[in-house]
RNA sequence: GCGGGCGUGGCGGAAUUGGUAGACGCACCGGACUUAAAAUCCGUUGGGAGGCGACUCCCGUGCCGGUUCAAGUCCGGCCGCCCGCACCA
């Protein structure tokens, strides 16, 4: 007999000590490899559920991160019990700027700080009971992983898009015209480079000389860096990926995906497909022609000027002596502007070049301008100005007093008609054509503009003056970064001007050690300092070469990581084709919506290339996508709208908050968790107070996974309260189980299993928790069989895995509970057990009462019962046509639900 | 400007293809147990009116209208909020 020491609380069989219990089962799972997933065997039902893997930051996880991780964990555990072979891995998107900045300041190698951060993340994930198969862990910054990132890069580099076949093919399959061959190997290289999926191009970037680095558009404000240093747009030679070749397929294949409509729409928008016509305007007095792109070729008659982007190759070409200096100054000034300064709100500006172009249809001469509202990389970088029917052209024409010539009539009864026809107002809506200027055979006055558009396009194509094209907003992907902590780009530039990728057997090309992570001060990454690494000599020919110093962008590793998880230790292939095929696409992918047009687009692009090159068996990587909602914390706001940290505010009275330093009354608001607001909550804190199971249950019960919500740690107490009830309930029944269930319990159990299974299949985890609570409400204090108890423990298990394991073991089950089968329930059995149901009687849709009847009562009985009830309430029921009395039965079960009588009297 | 989403009690949120609005929980209030507190348990709670009473009636899902035997759900028009993308010719 054990003796309880004075002052110590008795640790009875009945107490729920979550800390000890959760420690026990964490160790058990690790020791017995419970979460390990084998390669699928033939005939296995497979399920691949994936989280967007995190960048392991120094701060560790806060409570917002696991929203998605918990949802996928619950689904993975459920699917496993339901008989699927489940892949549910985790890894690290571990290349990135924060680790490099940290290294700049401290000299600590990014690999070292990253490794430490990963340990923290793993410890926290283990704490929460996330059942990842850690034997499949990968990190994008490790050579055995980025070897294959580099491998894929070289395959993309050595491929071209065969527009006729509609797919990528190896560059060797590209036919080289004889004249190109004859011109030598550099000519051949140039010919291939124009078609490769990876290519070099000189493109304008935001270059900050003071910081010695390129900045993203988002990092440039009013032409200055965040620190106030000047930023210029300079053309730099960049590695790019030809994602635009896949624009059409990236749009088309969205249709088959089970993704949130908003994300699909974002991608469609980003790719920005539009159908139009390119046509060329001859420049008067020269041999040049200016190509323009328009979606509204019907307005060709209204062209009163042409405008070229400052970056247009011909922008400075036509300026005559009087205008040259002004044009060059304008182009120079435009180059200094950031994209931000050239946005919508900015005033339209431009300069006249002194040259004129001729309208190919009307023969009319129009002035040629250079204007920075014209984007260099959309369409042809030149627009035909139609001020009467385009708001931007209208603003420009008004400013420079150019003609405004309407060609579309708003319609006889439109109030703005006179102003539009007088050229005083811009008209962009529907209308019919005015008589065509010049060639009157083009179209008739009065035809709809859409018809005129086709007629003019036909005419231009027939005359060879233009052709229909599809244009996209999507730009090719600038793939080079001047940073250290990324995958080295495995390209060597040889002294004879040729360029090759590293042979695949020499991969990985690992990062060299360098002495300083600081920027180089010119447009090269710190890798340029590693001279031993940089300079190479071909052992066969003795030719010298220099490695590419740029590294890949952070998105590279995440473009294919979901494939590597299938076969993470394979040294001979990025993934074994059979294993790749056995798992197929990711069945459920959960992560934040911020990746809509970044990671999710890039990964789809790489996947399609890999599909074309025969590495994967599916067209798309992620079949179903769910965006988890943002979890916010709170902060306070004073009357001037300033956000204040939580630890500077006290609650004086109920709902009354005082800012301690100033004494002012402040308002409680929802706010993102951030260091500066001191409102970051870590899962460690919550688990220590309430346990991991309570954290899981509470987080899932808060609301739908997709919804945004506000975190309040104290509220976790209600989940703990529920779990304590579960504990008392189950241990109580185990002490004295009934031989048979009470009838209500038997029904409640069947309902529970049916409902929770459906909820899990549809990722409705909040109502799933509610089902567990409902069952408990129904079953407490009733006679419960051991069998029913075991059913309950099993459906509890995905949500509260630690407690479920413990209870399962105490109930005599063989651990782990996750080896047990998911319980089944028979809906028909449930129906058969129901003797009577409450039938609601309505009059005109309003509830008037209810009667107890057999679930399969016939219409006649039901109608009579309804009328009898209403008659009893003194309603005039005589003469009600029976066919207008509606009987409603449950569509699934056939059980009668309600009877509606039309409004009486 | 364009696109996507959302408006339900004091709060988080439930409500199959239209069929009992407010499941489940939080908070509040009342009660039980306790010397007391904590914990636990029981009960009440959308608003209003009536009845001693188990109850009855009216109103109610952002606003206005429509379709229907029946509307939170469908249709049309507004209002408000959130999130993307934005000189894309």
């Amino acid at each position: 007999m054990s003796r309880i020491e004075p002052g110590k609380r008795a640790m009875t069989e009945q107490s729920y000590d979550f800390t000890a219990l959760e420690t026990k089962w964490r160790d058990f799972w690790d020791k017995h490899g419970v979460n390990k997933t084998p390669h699928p065997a033939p005939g296995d039902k497979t399920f691949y559920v994936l989280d967007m893997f995190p960048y392991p930051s120094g701060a560790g996880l806060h409570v917002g991160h696991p929203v998605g991780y918990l949802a996928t964990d619950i689904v993975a555990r459920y699917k496993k019990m339901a008989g699927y072979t489940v892949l549910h891995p985790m890894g690290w998107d571990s290349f990135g700027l924060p680790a490099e900045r940290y290294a700049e300041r401290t000299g600590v190698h990014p690999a070292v700080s990253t490794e430490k951060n990963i340990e923290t993340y793993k410890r926290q994930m283990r704490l929460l009971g996330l059942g990842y198969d850690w034997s499949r862990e990968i990190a994008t910054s490790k050579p055995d992983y980025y070897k294959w990132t580099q491998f894929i890069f070289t395959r993309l580099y050595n491929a071209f898009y065969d527009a006729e076949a509609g797919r990528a093919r190896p560059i060797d399959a590209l036919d080289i015209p004889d004249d190109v061959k004859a011109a030598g190997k550099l000519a051949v290289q140039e010919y291939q480079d124009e078609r490769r999926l990876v290519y070099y191009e000189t493109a304008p970037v935001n270059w900050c000389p003071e910081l010695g680095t390129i900045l993203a558009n988002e990092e440039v404000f009013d032409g200055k860096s965040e620190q106030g240093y000047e930023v210029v747009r300079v053309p730099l030679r960049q590695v790019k990926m030809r994602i635009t070749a896949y624009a059409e397929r990236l749009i088309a294949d969205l249709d088959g995906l089970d993704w949130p409509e908003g994300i699909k729409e974002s991608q469609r928008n980003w790719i920005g497909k539009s159908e139009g016509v390119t046509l060329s305007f001859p420049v008067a007095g020269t041999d040049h022609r200016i190509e323009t792109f328009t979606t509204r070729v019907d307005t060709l008659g209204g062209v009163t000027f042409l405008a070229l982007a400052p970056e247009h190759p011909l922008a400075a070409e036509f300026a005559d002596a009087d205008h040259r200096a002004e044009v060059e100054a304008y182009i120079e000034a435009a180059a200094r502007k950031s994209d931000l300064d050239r946005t919508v709100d900015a005033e339209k500006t431009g300069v006249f070049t002194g040259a004129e172009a001729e309208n190919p249809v009307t023969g009319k001469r129009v002035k040629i301008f250079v204007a920075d509202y014209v984007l260099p990389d959309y369409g042809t970088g030149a627009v035909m100005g139609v001020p009467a029917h385009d708001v931007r052209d209208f603003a420009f024409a008004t400013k420079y007093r150019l003609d405004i010539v309407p060609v579309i009539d708003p319609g006889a009864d439109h109030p703005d008609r006179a102003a539009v026809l007088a050229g005083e107002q811009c008209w962009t809506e529907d209308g019919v054509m005015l008589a065509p200027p010049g060639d009157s055979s083009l179209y008739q006055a009065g035809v709809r503009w859409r018809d005129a558009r086709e007629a003019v396009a036909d005419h231009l194509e027939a005359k060879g003056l233009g052709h229909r094209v599809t244009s996209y907003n999507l730009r090719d992907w600038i793939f080079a970064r001047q940073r250290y902590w990324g995958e080295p780009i495995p390209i060597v530039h040889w002294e004879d001007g040729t360029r090759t990728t590293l042979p695949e057997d020499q991969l990985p090309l690992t990062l060299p050690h360098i002495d300083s992570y600081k920027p180089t001060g010119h447009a090269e990454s710190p890798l340029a300092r590693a001279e031993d690494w940089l300079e190479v000599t071909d052992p066969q020919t003795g030719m010298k070469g220099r490695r590419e110093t740029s590294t890949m962008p952070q998105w590279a590793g995440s473009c294919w990581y979901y494939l590597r998880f299938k076969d993470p230790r394979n040294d001979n292939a990025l993934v074994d084709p059979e294993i790749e095929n056995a798992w197929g696409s990711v069945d459920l992918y959960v992560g934040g919506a911020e990746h809509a047009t970044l990671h999710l687009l890039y990964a789809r692009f790489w996947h399609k290339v890999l599909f074309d090159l025969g590495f994967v068996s599916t067209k798309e990587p992620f079949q179903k996508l769910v965006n988890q909602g943002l979890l916010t914390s709170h902060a306070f706001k004073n009357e001037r709208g300033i956000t204040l940290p939580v630890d500077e505010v006290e609650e004086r009275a109920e709902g009354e908050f005082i800012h301690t330093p100033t004494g002012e009354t402040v308002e409680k608001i929802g706010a993102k968790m951030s260091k500066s607001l001191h409102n970051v909550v870590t899962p460690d804190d919550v688990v220590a107070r309430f346990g991991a199971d309570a954290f899981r249950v509470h987080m899932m019960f808060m609301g739908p996974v997709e919804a945004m919500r506000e975190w309040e740690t104290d509220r976790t107490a209600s989940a703990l309260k529920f779990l304590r009830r579960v504990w008392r309930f189950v241990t109580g029944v185990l002490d004295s189980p009934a031989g048979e269930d009470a009838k209500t319990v038997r029904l409640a159990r069947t309902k529970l299993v049916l409902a929770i299974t459906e909820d899990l299949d549809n990722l409705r985890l909040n109502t799933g928790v509610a089902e567990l609570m409902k069952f408990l409400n129904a079953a407490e204090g009733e006679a419960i069989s051991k069998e029913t108890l075991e059913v309950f423990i099993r459906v509890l298990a995905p949500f509260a895995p630690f407690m479920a394991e413990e209870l399962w073991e105490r109930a005599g089950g063989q651990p782990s509970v996750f080896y047990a089968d998911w319980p089944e329930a028979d809906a028909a059995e449930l129906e058969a057990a129901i003797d009577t149901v409450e039938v609601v009687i309505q009059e005109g849709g309003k509830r008037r009462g209810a009667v107890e009847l057999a679930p399969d009562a016939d219409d006649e009985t039901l109608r009579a019962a309804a009328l009898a009830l209403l008659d009893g309430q003194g309603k005039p029921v005589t003469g009600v046509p029976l066919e207008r009395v509606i009987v409603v039965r449950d569509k699934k079960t056939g059980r009668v639900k309600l009877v509606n009588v039309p409004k009486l009297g």
Side-chain angles (χ1 to χ4, degrees):
Chain A
M1 282 280 119
S2 66
R3 289 172 63 91
I4 295 163
E5 291 175 42
K8 272 203 174 175
R9 249 183 84 208
M11 181 66 75
T12 69
E13 281 289 292
Q14 302 304 316
S15 69
Y16 167 45
D17 179 350
F18 52 79
T19 305
L21 182 159
E22 290 177 0
T23 304
K24 169 182 166 184
W25 290 103
R26 265 180 214 114
D27 292 343
F28 179 92
W29 292 333
D30 288 350
K31 193 174 160 203
H32 294 88
V34 172
N35 297 318
K36 281 217 168 86
T37 304
H39 290 313
D44 276 4
K45 291 189 293 180
T46 62
F47 194 80
Y48 186 1
V49 49
L50 184 66
D51 299 293
M52 289 185 189
F53 68 161
Y55 174 80
S57 81
L61 292 176
H62 64 64
V63 286
H65 292 105
V67 176
Y69 304 157
L70 290 174
T72 56
D73 188 64
I74 288 166
V75 170
R77 289 174 183 277
Y78 153 64
K79 283 284 182 182
K80 196 169 171 185
M81 293 174 82
Y84 288 81
T85 304
V86 174
L87 182 54
H88 184 220
M90 180 47 81
W92 317 104
D93 193 12
S94 48
F95 273 133
L97 202 52
E100 187 167 347
R101 285 209 173 128
Y102 183 73
E104 256 181 63
R105 288 199 308 274
T106 63
V108 175
H109 193 280
V112 174
S113 57
T114 299
E115 193 57 40
K116 193 172 142 245
N117 296 344
I118 287 174
E119 283 316 309
T120 304
Y121 272 60
K122 270 177 89 166
R123 182 185 56 72
Q124 289 177 305
M125 289 176 172
R126 187 173 175 274
L127 193 67
L128 294 173
L130 299 174
Y132 296 120
D133 178 356
W134 289 113
S135 72
R136 292 172 181 267
E137 177 183 1
I138 56 179
T140 57
S141 60
K142 296 212 165 147
D144 63 347
Y145 181 86
Y146 71 70
K147 167 184 176 176
W148 296 104
T149 311
Q150 291 171 332
F151 171 88
I152 295 169
F153 176 90
T154 64
R155 290 301 177 107
L156 262 79
Y157 181 89
N158 291 304
F160 73 106
Y161 198 79
D162 184 336
E164 255 166 61
R167 64 181 183 89
R169 296 172 67 200
I171 195 78
D172 299 342
L174 177 68
D175 289 329
I176 312 288
D178 289 339
D179 58 323
V180 174
K181 268 186 209 155
K185 62 181 175 182
L186 288 178
V188 171
Q189 173 165 297
E190 196 185 329
Y191 186 83
Q192 290 177 324
D193 283 353
E194 279 165 13
R195 289 156 184 84
R196 287 180 192 274
L197 292 183
V198 179
Y199 63 101
Y200 278 81
E201 192 186 60
T202 303
V205 293
N206 300 308
W207 172 251
C208 179
E210 193 68 31
L211 293 175
T213 185
I214 289 169
L215 298 174
N217 285 335
E218 296 78 12
E219 296 171 309
V220 183
F221 310 91
D222 295 329
K224 303 252 169 76
S225 79
E226 220 173 337
Q227 299 86 348
Y229 300 125
E230 197 184 6
V231 174
V232 287
R233 308 244 320 155
V234 291
L236 279 178
R237 209 162 157 72
Q238 300 284 325
V239 179
K240 288 178 131 185
M241 281 200 177
R242 207 178 299 278
I243 187 171
T244 51
Y246 282 81
E248 191 58 46
R249 281 165 66 186
L250 287 168
I251 283 191
D253 290 345
L254 282 172
D255 291 341
L257 296 179
D258 186 4
W259 285 19
E261 211 39 57
I263 301 281
K264 289 208 245 182
E265 212 41 49
S266 283
Q267 291 212 351
R268 287 191 193 104
N269 244 326
W270 188 261
I271 297 166
K273 181 179 177 175
S274 56
E275 315 264 359
V277 170
T278 61
L279 71 157
S280 58
F281 288 69
V283 180
T286 74
D287 296 335
H288 287 294
R289 304 181 75 87
I290 295 175
E291 286 256 302
T292 63
F293 171 78
T294 179
T295 55
R296 291 296 300 275
V297 75
D298 50 298
T299 64
L300 184 54
V303 174
T304 58
F305 66 95
L306 291 192
L308 306 185
E311 295 84 354
H312 194 285
L314 298 178
E317 186 82 19
F318 318 119
D320 58 26
D322 291 346
H323 298 89
R324 178 161 296 276
E326 201 188 348
V327 169
E328 284 175 353
Y330 185 81
I331 293 171
E332 164 87 0
R336 293 184 169 277
K337 285 191 185 177
S338 67
D339 282 357
L340 221 65
D341 291 332
R342 282 173 63 170
T343 51
V344 199
D345 303 330
E347 199 183 352
K348 305 277 175 288
T349 65
V351 287
F352 178 42
T353 60
E356 291 188 332
E358 192 175 291
N359 187 317
V361 172
T362 64
K364 197 177 143 190
R365 288 223 178 165
V366 296
K367 290 179 172 178
I368 303 173
F369 284 78
V370 174
D372 73 0
Y373 79 92
V374 181
L375 302 175
D377 44 9
Y378 180 76
T380 60
V383 301
M384 51 177 232
V386 186
H389 304 295
D390 181 285
V391 288
R392 298 150 304 181
D393 296 345
F394 185 83
F396 189 80
T398 309
K399 178 162 179 181
Y400 293 101
R401 301 177 189 285
L402 302 168
D403 290 345
I404 297 170
V405 178
V407 293
I408 297 173
D409 184 346
D413 45 3
H414 198 280
D416 296 341
R417 185 180 189 223
V420 172
L421 296 185
E424 288 158 7
Q425 195 178 321
C426 180
W427 182 256
T428 57
E429 286 163 55
D430 238 355
V432 296
M433 303 307 295
L434 296 162
D439 188 351
S440 60
S441 67
L442 264 180
Y443 53 81
Q444 300 286 313
V447 302
R448 293 198 316 226
W449 67 262
R450 283 173 204 281
D451 299 330
R453 182 176 63 179
E454 298 313 306
V456 176
D458 288 345
H459 173 83
L460 291 172
E461 285 190 327
K463 290 275 167 93
L465 296 168
H467 53 278
R468 287 182 168 88
V469 292
T470 303
S471 187
Y472 299 91
N473 295 344
L474 187 67
R475 299 288 110 84
D476 275 338
W477 179 12
I478 299 177
F479 199 72
R481 298 291 182 269
Q482 289 65 48
R483 292 174 186 167
Y484 172 76
W485 192 231
E487 300 87 347
I489 290 178
I491 286 180
V492 177
H493 303 270
W494 299 102
E495 60 186 354
D496 67 351
T498 60
R499 185 190 327 119
T500 58
T501 48
L502 223 53
E504 282 164 9
D505 60 12
Q506 287 180 31
L507 298 176
L509 170 63
T510 54
L511 280 167
H513 278 273
I514 53 171
D515 299 325
S516 166
Y517 302 98
K518 293 212 163 45
T520 57
H522 46 94
E524 279 193 311
S525 97
L527 287 178
R529 291 205 186 91
E531 281 167 28
D532 292 350
W533 178 87
L534 197 63
E535 310 291 343
V536 292
T537 306
D538 186 325
Q540 254 131 60
T541 64
M543 202 199 307
K544 289 202 161 66
R546 192 172 187 273
R547 293 191 196 280
E548 172 62 53
T549 59
S550 294
T551 53
M552 299 189 199
Q554 165 144 43
W555 311 106
S558 58
C559 272
W560 74 283
Y561 75 111
Y562 58 93
L563 294 172
R564 190 62 177 170
F565 278 132
K566 297 176 180 184
D567 195 11
R569 306 288 169 250
N570 192 330
D571 287 334
N572 304 309
L574 62 99
V575 55
D576 179 275
E578 268 182 47
I579 295 170
E580 189 283 323
N581 188 44
W583 288 111
S585 301
V586 174
D587 295 291
L588 175 63
Y589 194 32
V590 178
E594 68 273 17
H595 296 298
T597 50
L598 292 165
H599 159 62
L600 288 170
L601 192 66
Y602 297 146
R604 291 183 64 222
F605 164 48
W606 276 37
H607 191 92
K608 288 182 184 304
V609 179
L610 291 172
F611 176 78
D612 288 351
L613 299 179
F615 288 100
V616 298
S617 56
T618 59
K619 291 201 308 194
E620 285 286 334
F622 315 117
Q623 191 49 44
K624 182 181 167 80
L625 174 73
V626 171
N627 292 127
Q628 93 260 17
L630 187 71
L631 190 85
T632 58
S633 180
H634 65 271
F636 296 90
K637 199 172 74 177
N638 66 17
E639 279 176 8
R640 296 181 303 280
I642 311 287
T643 311
L644 305 164
V646 286
D647 50 2
E648 289 180 11
V649 174
E650 269 177 27
E651 185 166 10
R652 283 283 158 80
E654 180 75 27
E656 193 194 327
F657 299 97
I658 305 294
H659 185 227
T660 330
T662 61
E664 43 183 13
T665 304
V666 293
E667 186 196 348
K668 191 172 179 177
I669 55 164
K672 245 181 153 165
M673 288 191 195
S674 77
K675 270 189 191 169
S676 59
L677 294 175
H678 302 124
N679 62 356
V680 176
V681 181
T682 68
D684 309 57
D685 298 342
V686 185
V687 170
R689 280 182 63 193
F690 301 101
D693 278 337
F695 178 78
R696 293 170 64 106
V697 168
H698 176 61
M699 186 70 95
M700 293 300 102
F701 188 57
M702 283 172 78
V705 177
E706 300 90 337
M708 190 173 147
R709 50 244 165 113
E710 206 173 312
W711 179 259
E712 200 74 70
T713 300
D714 289 349
R715 295 198 190 136
T716 314
S718 71
L720 180 58
K721 188 173 145 191
F722 165 68
L723 289 174
R724 285 201 174 115
R725 267 177 78 199
V726 170
W727 181 266
R728 275 195 308 276
F729 167 72
V730 175
T731 53
V733 173
L734 286 175
D735 285 345
S736 52
E740 217 172 274
D741 291 318
K743 188 168 178 189
T744 55
V745 171
R746 183 65 206 147
L747 287 178
R749 164 181 149 186
T750 306
K751 279 187 195 162
L752 168 67
V753 173
L754 290 172
I756 207 165
T757 303
E758 202 183 318
D759 284 342
L760 284 163
D761 284 334
N762 294 293
L763 208 66
R764 291 191 302 240
L765 304 178
N766 53 332
T767 52
V769 174
E771 293 303 330
L772 292 168
M773 292 172 169
K774 279 191 217 174
F775 174 80
L776 198 60
N777 289 342
E780 268 174 334
E782 302 287 340
I784 311 284
S785 70
K786 190 139 173 291
E787 189 198 337
T788 292
L789 202 66
E790 286 170 5
V791 166
F792 178 68
I793 294 169
R794 279 181 283 159
V795 298
L796 172 74
F799 295 90
F802 297 102
M803 177 181 278
E805 287 282 25
E806 180 69 23
L807 295 175
W808 183 252
E809 186 183 53
R810 290 186 186 208
Q814 183 67 38
S816 153
V817 67
F818 297 102
Y819 296 144
D821 289 340
W822 188 252
E824 288 181 8
D826 187 356
E829 182 197 350
L830 179 71
E831 290 311 309
I834 295 172
D835 299 330
T836 62
V837 290
E838 183 185 64
V839 181
V840 171
I841 310 299
Q842 293 185 345
E843 176 208 347
K846 291 199 190 315
R847 186 187 158 117
R848 290 290 180 251
V851 289
E852 286 286 323
L853 284 170
D856 57 351
D858 61 21
D859 287 7
E860 205 179 325
T861 312
L862 290 159
R863 285 173 176 150
L867 292 175
L869 183 127
L870 292 171
D871 189 37
Q873 292 174 1
K875 298 269 163 58
V877 296
T878 47
V880 174
L882 279 189
E883 70 277 5
R884 299 203 57 202
V885 177
I886 310 279
V887 172
V888 180
R889 290 188 166 77
D890 190 293
K891 289 188 181 68
K892 224 189 306 188
T893 63
R895 199 192 301 166
V896 60
K897 282 170 82 171
L898 65 82
V899 181
N900 188 48
V901 178
K903 188 142 181 65
L904 300 166

